[in-house]
């Protein structure tokens, strides 16, 4: 099949899904029927609860949920062929991920903008909430560790092993990425100040902001005097995310994510035009095969399509991290209830488009001999699409810009994850229905303090990032999809309790939990095998123990959920 035809068919299916299935969900849940103001208005505090215009909030939400996920996922699953990957993106996005993200956001705005943990507390039990919150917090610490390490490595200078001095020539690209990112933060702060404190026109500010983004990229590519080691950047990044986590969202989070979304839109546009120009056939001549079988040896042992495909392609189909974003930051900024569908359901399907484009990029990259490294495959595949028409000069420029854009979203996901982890830490100490403002005294007042919660989170995340998060990173795929299954379960129980149709959640919930448990069982088997072979460090032991604990957690929460749903049904 031609890649352009594939993309057109996929976009058409996603548009139909948004209009008809998304519209049906709104009717089933009663979205927009309530005259009650959203939490952003009802609980506005100028820090976390701040109403945002739909395009601005869409920018935050899309930047936060997308990041690098819809690029790395399809690349990791490409070993099975493009057909299963694309089918999972379409089915998963419309019937799994879209429902998951939309449901989490809608449930949260009906629960004072609080997280999935609080929804579980109110609709299942306090014990279930505590278990989920611990699990979600530790998962977010792992995300903070991973993305802080990725960002620091991307920014970090190359050190000459012999002399210990920084190799400036070899570090120029990394220094350029760091400079662009720093300038971008300054632009976002100025944008937020002008729009929210000087009431500047959003349209004019957006145009000037986009021009400023182009300028800062041009400056950063030609002027980048800051050369720091990776460890130094880890400390700098830690300080940055600590500040970003407690800074009012209108100063940095909203404007930065809104402006960065234009980078993502531009990347999508460049990729779309590239597919149109190249319209390469899928497969053939060393391209991406249609289907390589249910069991594939990728050089690291045999990988099975089930459950690997469904834990590898998360962002772009369904990802538990999305429910934390929907119920963590997005719900606290939603201006109108009717904005929930385009932001949550529409944002998920737009991410599906990026995932499909990535599949086309993988195919073209393979045809050009680029087969290693997620950044190299995506940026190289897209940029090479222009080579036949515009020459190698354009290819080089586009490749650099795509790498810069790709890197920018790691930083976006990082500080969003830090703020989400801070929310989780605070909510762990709250009673059902209680908010942070309700805690007036005692040790709990200290525990729910945003500065205290942030400091603990940043210390744990940065420390793990500097001491070997990679040894347990292999669990993230399953842990993330367990978050998705539990998120679906939480919203299903709430809808049942308020008398709304929740049947659209039941199959996706059951499927994702089965996928997770199967994946965790495989992990336990593999890690025990490594331990039995001898010579294993602490990594296999940690992964095996954590995998068992996650299986137990999943079973407990499923039992509680089924009991809740059964009681409501019998009543």
């Amino acid at each position: 099949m031609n890649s352009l035809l594939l993309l057109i068919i996929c976009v058409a299916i996603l548009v139909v899904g948004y209009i008809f299935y998304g519209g049906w969900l709104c009717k089933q849940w009663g979205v927009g029927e309530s005259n009650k103001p959203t939490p952003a208005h009802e609980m506005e505090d100028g820090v976390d609860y701040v109403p945002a215009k739909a395009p601005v909030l869409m920018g935050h939400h899309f930047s936060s949920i997308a990041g690098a996920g819809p690029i790395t996922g399809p690349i990791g699953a490409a070993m099975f062929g493009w057909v299963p990957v694309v089918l999972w993106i379409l089915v998963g996005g419309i019937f799994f991920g879209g429902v998951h993200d939309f449901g989490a956001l809608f449930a949260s705005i009906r629960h004072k903008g609080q997280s999935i943990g609080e929804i579980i507390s109110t609709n299942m039990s306090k014990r279930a909430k505590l278990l989920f919150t611990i699990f979600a917090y530790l998962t977010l610490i792992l995300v903070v560790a991973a993305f802080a390490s990725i960002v620091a490595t991307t920014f970090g200078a190359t050190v000459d092993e012999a002399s210990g001095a920084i190799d400036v020539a070899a570090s120029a690209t990394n220094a350029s990425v760091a400079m662009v990112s720093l300038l971008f933060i300054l632009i976002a702060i100025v944008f937020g100040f002008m729009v929210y404190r000087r009431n500047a026109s959003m349209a004019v500010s957006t145009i000037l902001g986009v021009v400023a983004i182009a300028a800062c990229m041009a400056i950063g590519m030609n002027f980048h005097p800051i050369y720091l080691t990776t460890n130094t950047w880890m400390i700098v990044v830690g300080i940055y995310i600590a500040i970003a986590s407690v800074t009012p969202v209108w100063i940095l989070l909203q404007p930065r994510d809104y402006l960065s979304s234009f980078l993502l839109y531009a990347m999508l546009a460049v990729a779309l035009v590239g597919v149109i120009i190249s319209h390469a056939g899928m497969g053939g001549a060393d391209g991406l095969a249609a289907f390589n079988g249910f069991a594939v040896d990728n050089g690291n042992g045999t990988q099975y399509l089930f459950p690997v495909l469904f834990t590898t392609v998360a962002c772009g189909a369904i990802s538990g991290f999305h429910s934390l974003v929907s119920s963590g930051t997005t719900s606290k900024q939603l201006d109108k209830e009717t904005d929930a569908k385009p932001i949550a359901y529409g944002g998920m399907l737009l991410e599906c488009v990026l995932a499909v484009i990535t599949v086309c990029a993988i195919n073209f990259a393979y045809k050009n001999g680029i087969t290693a490294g997620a950044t190299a495959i995506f940026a190289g595949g897209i940029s090479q699409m222009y080579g036949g028409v515009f020459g190698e000069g354009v290819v080089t420029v586009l490749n650099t810009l795509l790498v810069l854009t790709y890197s920018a979203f790691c930083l976006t996901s990082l500080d969003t994850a830090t703020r989400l982890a801070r929310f989780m830490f605070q909510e762990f100490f709250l009673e059902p229905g209680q908010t942070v403002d309700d805690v007036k005294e005692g040790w709990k007042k200290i525990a729910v303090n945003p500065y205290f919660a942030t400091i603990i989170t940043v210390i744990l995340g940065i420390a793990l990032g500097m001491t070997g998060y990679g040894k347990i990173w292999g669990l993230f795929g399953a842990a993330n999809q367990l978050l998705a299954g539990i998120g679906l379960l939480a919203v299903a129980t709430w809808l049942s309790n308020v008398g709304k149709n929740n049947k659209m959640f039941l199959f996706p919930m059951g499927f994702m939990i089965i996928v997770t448990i199967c994946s965790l069982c495989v992990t336990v088997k593999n890690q025990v095998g490594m331990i039995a072979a001898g010579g294993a460090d602490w990594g296999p032991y940690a992964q095996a123990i954590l995998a068992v604990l996650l299986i137990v957690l999943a079973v407990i929460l499923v039992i509680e959920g089924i009991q809740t749903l059964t009681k409501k049904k019998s009543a």
Side-chain angles (χ1 to χ4, degrees):
M1 176 182 284
N2 183 279
S3 58
L4 177 58
L5 178 60
L6 173 66
L7 183 58
I8 291 172
I9 291 173
C10 290
V11 170
I13 291 172
L14 293 169
V15 170
V16 170
Y18 175 81
I19 294 171
F20 293 102
Y21 197 63
W24 179 75
L25 293 175
C26 288
K27 292 179 181 177
Q28 295 300 305
W29 303 341
V31 178
E33 292 178 359
S34 174
N35 293 321
K36 186 179 179 181
T38 62
H41 291 282
E42 186 179 15
M43 304 175 67
E44 185 172 0
D45 61 6
V47 179
D48 296 318
Y49 290 84
V50 179
K53 295 179 181 179
V56 175
L57 188 54
M58 179 63 172
H60 157 68
H61 184 80
F62 188 39
S63 297
S64 297
I65 66 169
I71 296 173
T72 56
I75 290 173
M79 58 184 167
F80 297 111
W82 65 264
V83 170
V85 174
V86 169
L87 287 177
W88 172 231
I89 290 169
L90 296 177
V91 175
I94 294 172
F95 299 106
F96 287 65
V99 175
H100 169 266
D101 295 13
F102 189 10
L105 176 57
F106 183 55
S108 180
I109 61 176
R110 293 294 180 90
H111 287 79
K112 301 179 182 180
Q114 292 181 304
S115 73
I116 290 294
E118 191 59 34
I119 295 168
I120 289 174
S121 176
T122 303
N123 295 279
M124 290 170 60
S125 71
K126 182 179 178 180
R127 181 183 71 169
K129 172 214 170 174
L130 294 177
L131 289 172
F132 172 81
T133 304
I134 293 171
F135 162 56
Y137 181 74
L138 293 177
T139 302
L140 285 169
I141 290 296
L142 182 57
V143 172
V144 171
F147 279 89
S149 181
I150 291 170
V151 169
T153 302
T154 304
F155 291 178
T158 301
V159 178
D160 185 89
E161 293 183 3
S163 64
I166 290 176
D167 187 336
V168 174
S171 307
T173 300
N174 286 15
S176 178
V177 173
M179 190 64 181
V180 171
S181 299
L182 294 174
L183 290 173
F184 196 91
I185 291 170
L186 294 176
I187 291 170
I189 293 172
V190 172
F191 181 92
F193 179 79
M194 295 303 296
V195 171
Y196 289 100
R197 287 298 178 268
R198 289 291 181 265
N199 297 315
S201 165
M202 176 62 74
V204 173
S205 298
T206 299
I207 294 172
L208 293 176
V210 171
V211 171
I213 291 172
C216 82
M217 294 185 77
I219 293 170
M221 291 174 66
N222 294 281
F223 177 72
H224 34 77
I226 303 174
Y227 291 83
L228 303 176
T229 64
T230 298
N231 284 341
T232 303
W233 273 117
M234 281 291 286
I235 296 171
V236 173
V237 167
I239 295 171
Y240 164 74
I241 60 177
I243 296 172
S245 175
V246 294
T247 298
V249 292
W250 65 266
I251 292 178
L252 183 59
L253 187 74
Q254 284 184 1
R256 196 274 327 279
D257 288 355
Y258 173 63
L259 291 175
S260 66
S261 69
F262 284 94
L263 286 175
L264 188 50
Y265 301 147
M267 185 170 72
L268 277 168
V270 168
L272 283 168
V273 173
V275 173
I276 293 171
I277 291 174
S278 65
H279 54 271
M282 299 299 295
D286 300 320
L288 183 58
F291 182 57
N292 287 322
F294 291 96
V296 176
D297 187 344
N298 67 344
N300 295 313
T302 301
Q303 304 292 316
Y304 297 94
L305 188 143
F306 183 92
V308 174
L309 173 66
F310 307 102
T311 57
T312 303
V313 182
C315 291
I318 179 172
S319 169
F321 180 70
H322 294 193
S323 67
L324 302 183
V325 175
S326 291
S327 67
T329 53
T330 304
S331 63
K332 295 176 176 64
Q333 302 172 62
L334 195 74
D335 184 36
K336 298 179 294 185
E337 197 168 276
T338 50
D339 290 342
K341 178 192 170 187
I343 289 171
Y345 196 77
M348 179 65 240
L349 298 193
L350 188 58
E351 191 180 55
C352 293
V353 174
L354 178 56
V356 173
I357 288 173
T358 299
V359 173
C360 297
I362 298 168
N363 178 66
F364 207 82
Y366 282 11
K367 288 178 180 291
N368 285 271
I370 307 170
T371 59
T375 307
I377 289 173
F378 179 78
I382 297 298
S383 59
Q384 286 293 337
M385 292 176 180
Y386 289 79
V389 177
F390 299 103
E392 286 302 312
V394 171
V395 170
T396 301
V397 172
L398 282 178
N399 187 76
T400 302
L401 293 176
L402 287 167
V403 170
L404 285 170
T405 302
Y406 181 89
S407 300
F409 287 102
C410 291
L411 191 59
T412 298
S413 298
L414 173 60
D415 58 24
T416 297
T418 307
R419 187 178 288 258
L420 292 172
R422 189 254 289 180
F423 291 151
M424 284 291 172
F425 188 93
Q426 291 174 287
E427 288 184 12
F428 177 81
F429 299 98
L430 300 178
E431 298 298 323
Q434 195 177 39
T435 65
V436 171
D437 292 335
D438 296 329
V439 182
K440 303 297 185 183
E441 58 185 8
W443 64 269
K444 281 191 176 182
K445 184 172 178 61
I446 298 174
V448 301
N449 181 279
Y451 300 101
F452 179 79
T454 297
I455 290 171
I456 295 297
T457 297
V458 171
I459 289 175
L460 291 175
I462 297 300
L464 180 61
M466 296 179 74
T467 55
Y469 78 91
K471 293 184 182 297
I472 57 173
W473 181 249
L475 277 175
F476 178 74
N480 184 48
Q481 297 306 61
L482 178 56
L483 272 176
I486 296 172
L488 291 164
L489 172 62
V491 181
T493 56
W494 168 66
L495 287 172
S496 176
N497 287 338
V498 297
K500 298 289 186 180
N501 184 6
N502 69 349
K503 292 182 176 59
M504 69 289 294
F505 283 89
L506 301 183
F507 179 78
M509 173 192 74
F511 182 81
M512 294 314 300
I513 289 175
I514 291 171
V515 163
T516 297
I517 292 176
C518 290
S519 178
L520 291 170
C521 288
V522 171
T523 296
V524 172
K525 173 180 175 295
N526 291 341
Q527 300 307 311
V528 169
M530 292 176 64
I531 294 170
D537 59 13
W538 64 269
Y541 289 94
Q543 285 205 46
I545 293 170
L546 290 172
V548 171
L549 291 176
L550 289 178
I551 293 171
V552 173
L553 170 70
V555 171
I556 292 173
L557 291 175
V558 168
I559 291 173
E560 293 230 13
I562 291 174
Q563 288 175 342
T564 302
L565 294 171
T566 303
K567 287 178 183 177
K568 182 65 183 177
K569 186 175 181 180
S570 61

